[in-house]
Amino acid sequence: MRIQKYISQSGVCSRREAERKIEDGSVIVNGKPAQIGQSVDPDTDVVEVDGIRLKGPVAERVVLAMNKPKGCVCTNSDPFGARTVFEILPEPYSKMKLFCCGRLDKNTEGLLILTNDGEFANKLTHPSSGIVKRYRALLNRDFDGALIPVLTRGVVCDGEKLHAERILRDNTPGVSDSARRVEVWLHQGRKREIRRMFEAVGYFVKELKRYQIGKYVLRGLASGACKPLGKAEIAKLMEK
């Protein structure tokens, strides 16, 4: 079994995060630094990640949906003392080794998926899966619709090309400032992509919320709350 697959099935992190840990030298196999792609035998090889020996693939998959509140970070710890999403998990999930399927930045709220299944996380987050993540954004001023084709073609920010799959007017009933509200669809999920994309064309994102992944829509979940997803709900996450 490939080392990154073994790490993800052990409930440590996704395969992409496992690759980053291997590159950082945080993964040791039989006392030696691991290499991306090397094979391991779960029955005979000793694999350590961040100094902790892995016990092998997790027996039970857990998939949670959280309504992430603004002000929380999606890391296990923050050097600046910000509260993490793992600190607000209720028992028994607070005692499990879970990780985020993609991240939302500190000031973004809404639908966040946490799991202990690295293979599932990789399928959900990898751009090749074609799974759309939908967001609602409030801008600092009225949005010029002529910029929609610019943003869907892509803009370059800090040497990186950023683009949206679709941008629509946010026609959610009852919202105020509708001229400043847009809906953004993404396949990929680069760091602060929506905020950086709009900044590149002269806007500032004041509020940002992810409300849907695949066909699964965030409904009826209070800010900061979470719930386990069943098979039908997990299937909706994976629908294109």
Side-chain angles (χ1 to χ4, degrees), residues 113-224:
I113 303 299
L114 299 98
T115 188
N116 58 359
D117 185 336
E119 290 302 295
F120 167 75
N122 189 64
K123 290 177 183 177
L124 185 64
T125 58
H126 200 280
S128 64
S129 68
I131 296 171
V132 174
K133 290 79 175 174
R134 302 186 188 188
Y135 301 75
R136 291 190 175 110
L138 173 65
L139 306 177
N140 62 317
R141 56 191 175 89
D142 292 357
F143 179 63
D144 181 359
L147 289 171
I148 290 177
V150 175
L151 294 171
T152 53
R153 284 196 304 266
V155 294
V156 176
C157 181
D158 298 326
E160 196 173 24
K161 188 172 183 179
L162 311 174
H163 77 280
E165 180 69 17
R166 293 186 69 181
I167 295 181
L168 311 167
R169 297 285 187 182
D170 184 357
N171 294 317
T172 304
V175 298
S176 59
D177 303 318
S178 58
R180 295 193 289 148
R181 294 183 181 272
V182 292
E183 185 174 316
V184 184
W185 298 15
L186 295 181
H187 276 161
Q188 69 285 353
R190 297 185 176 91
K191 185 176 181 179
R192 300 183 69 253
E193 183 159 17
I194 293 175
R195 297 181 188 277
R196 293 164 61 208
M197 189 166 46
F198 279 100
E199 287 168 7
V201 292
Y203 290 83
F204 174 73
V205 177
K206 297 182 68 176
E207 297 176 7
L208 185 61
K209 182 171 186 175
R210 182 161 67 193
Y211 74 94
Q212 183 172 339
I213 297 176
K215 299 296 184 183
Y216 181 81
V217 180
L218 179 67
R219 290 193 181 101
L221 201 58
S223 180

